[in-house]
Amino acid sequence: MRILVEGSGGSAGWPQPGCRCASCLRQGAAGNVRGRSTVVVDGLLRLGAGLAAGEVEGHRVRVVADAREGGTGGWDVTGPAGGRLLYPAGPGSAPAPPEGSAPYDVAFLDLLGDPAQLGWLRARGVITADTVTVVAFADHRVPSEAELARRCGFWRVRLAGDGEAIDPARSVPQDRDVAGGTRRVLVLGGARSGKSERAELRLAGEPDVTYVATGNRGADDPDWAARVAAHRARRPAWWRTAETTDLAGLLGRSRGALLIDGIGTWLAAVLDECGWDLRDDAARDKLAARRAELVGAWRQACCHVVAVSDETGLGVVPATPAGRLFRDELGRLNQALAAESEEAELIVAGRVMPLGNS
């Protein structure tokens, strides 16, 4: 099965004609033009809006239901030699192949509409390490071409351009797979900066994710309960949840992906356990031991882990001794974790600033 990508942009391409959004203007200024998403299979079958199920010169085409709405999510194409292709019906579509479906050789997905569908399809085994997974309908739902390329990197998918040919081969080198090595990412940001959303986005393509909640203020805090509920509603339903402050133990035994949210609430809970008065030798030693235990486990982790933490040094000096203590200790801990991370990012007003290693 040979696939030619005629167009790789959204339903109206990218930049979208007449659109004055920052993404389209940025894309046009850079000279990056993506036509309306369309692919041609074996020079015979064109996939795009309006294709119906049937057979075209030995290519069997079936309609695939949508995971969220129950309508048309896309098309399942089987070639004469048995090659299999999945293609979405349009922007916002999330194809849901029937239970027991064989793995696809090539899968196009609208990952800007629902990135978590990738993790779900991987968990079901219909997208495997041998599937060429490609972004479809690239458009102004992402800020820039560079940001889309970054997302494709951590989702481990291919960003194809107009006119590019796709062959059923591995979409990324072996060393980019999570199973091939440890990856640690620290995502920093202030309150309501978008740091949690970014961390969730980074793990959207993973089939096995545990969300680690490190803070629990109880049911007597309605504001906290509302925040927890909002986080749960935003996460994929098949992710597991662990509520614990034993991060070192979890890092030591986990083999899937972990999303730790967050380091600040972990530190607050540990200070509650050890004591906030670090003039006391026992409290200071307990905190130092817990911090060293966490950093050591982070350094030796065998899983893919993304941790969220607050960047506390950008505001005013806290008015209380406890506030100043928390700020200083969290700053030191952030430095230690960042030093042992392959990647670190700072999120400001929803924008991402990768932090270099130098």
Side-chain angles (χ1 to χ4, degrees):
M1 182 179 285
R2 186 176 185 277
I3 300 162
L4 175 65
V5 179
E6 282 192 337
S8 56
S11 57
W14 186 31
Q16 183 173 310
C19 183
R20 301 291 298 170
C21 77
S23 175
C24 284
L25 292 179
R26 191 178 292 119
Q27 187 79 348
N32 297 323
V33 178
R34 293 181 177 272
R36 180 180 180 180
S37 278
T38 311
V39 300
V40 178
V41 182
D42 293 333
L44 300 170
L45 176 66
R46 178 172 280 102
L47 295 176
L51 182 70
E55 188 167 337
V56 178
E57 296 192 27
H59 292 78
R60 186 179 60 194
V61 183
R62 294 179 176 178
V63 173
V64 178
D66 192 277
R68 294 166 296 179
E69 301 175 359
T72 301
W75 299 284
D76 176 311
V77 180
T78 303
R84 287 170 48 73
L85 166 69
L86 181 66
Y87 195 83
S93 298
E99 290 293 333
S101 295
Y104 289 97
D105 297 289
V106 182
F108 286 78
L109 297 173
D110 177 25
L111 296 180
L112 296 182
D114 180 11
Q117 65 178 296
L118 175 59
W120 181 66
L121 292 171
R122 281 174 170 161
R124 295 179 58 202
V126 294
I127 290 182
T128 70
D130 294 321
T131 303
V132 181
T133 309
V134 190
V135 171
F137 304 109
D139 61 12
H140 57 191
R141 290 170 294 173
V142 68
S144 67
E145 185 88 15
E147 171 59 18
L148 179 56
R150 279 194 291 270
R151 296 184 189 185
C152 289
F154 54 69
W155 289 332
R156 307 188 316 284
V157 299
R158 185 166 170 175
L159 179 58
D162 293 9
E164 187 171 337
I166 303 294
D167 294 319
R170 290 182 58 85
S171 58
V172 291
Q174 178 73 30
D175 62 4
R176 292 291 294 277
D177 286 349
V178 172
T182 301
R183 287 195 293 161
R184 288 153 289 228
V185 183
L186 182 64
V187 181
L188 299 162
R192 299 301 190 190
S193 62
K195 59 186 183 298
S196 292
E197 291 90 334
R198 177 66 176 188
E200 292 162 10
L201 186 68
R202 291 195 69 110
L203 292 177
E206 300 305 317
D208 180 12
V209 181
T210 299
Y211 179 91
V212 185
T214 59
N216 183 7
R217 298 185 186 178
D220 57 344
D221 187 336
D223 179 65
W224 182 260
R227 288 170 181 259
V228 170
H231 274 245
R232 285 175 176 166
R234 195 174 61 223
R235 297 195 300 267
W238 61 91
W239 284 13
R240 295 184 301 275
T241 299
E243 295 184 2
T244 182
T245 57
D246 182 22
L247 296 185
L250 199 58
L251 287 166
R253 61 179 177 268
S254 296
R255 293 297 182 271
L258 296 180
L259 196 165
I260 300 173
D261 196 356
I263 300 301
T265 49
W266 176 86
L267 178 60
V270 169
L271 282 167
D272 286 342
E273 297 171 13
C274 298
W276 285 76
D277 187 358
L278 297 189
R279 294 172 298 181
D280 179 75
D281 291 343
R284 187 170 60 251
D285 291 345
K286 287 180 183 178
L287 176 61
R290 291 292 298 276
R291 185 173 58 222
E293 182 185 38
L294 171 58
V295 174
W298 178 271
R299 186 177 190 180
Q300 299 299 328
C302 294
C303 58
H304 181 190
V305 55
V306 178
V308 177
S309 190
D310 302 288
E311 177 49 62
T312 63
L314 300 179
V316 298
V317 176
T320 65
R324 292 190 291 272
L325 167 65
F326 179 79
R327 178 202 60 183
D328 294 346
E329 292 299 329
L330 183 57
R332 294 186 185 102
L333 182 54
N334 286 343
Q335 289 185 56
L337 293 176
E340 299 294 346
S341 300
E342 284 84 352
E343 294 184 61
E345 296 178 330
L346 176 65
I347 315 301
V348 180
R351 294 201 171 191
V352 181
M353 293 188 291
L355 304 178
N357 295 317
S358 58

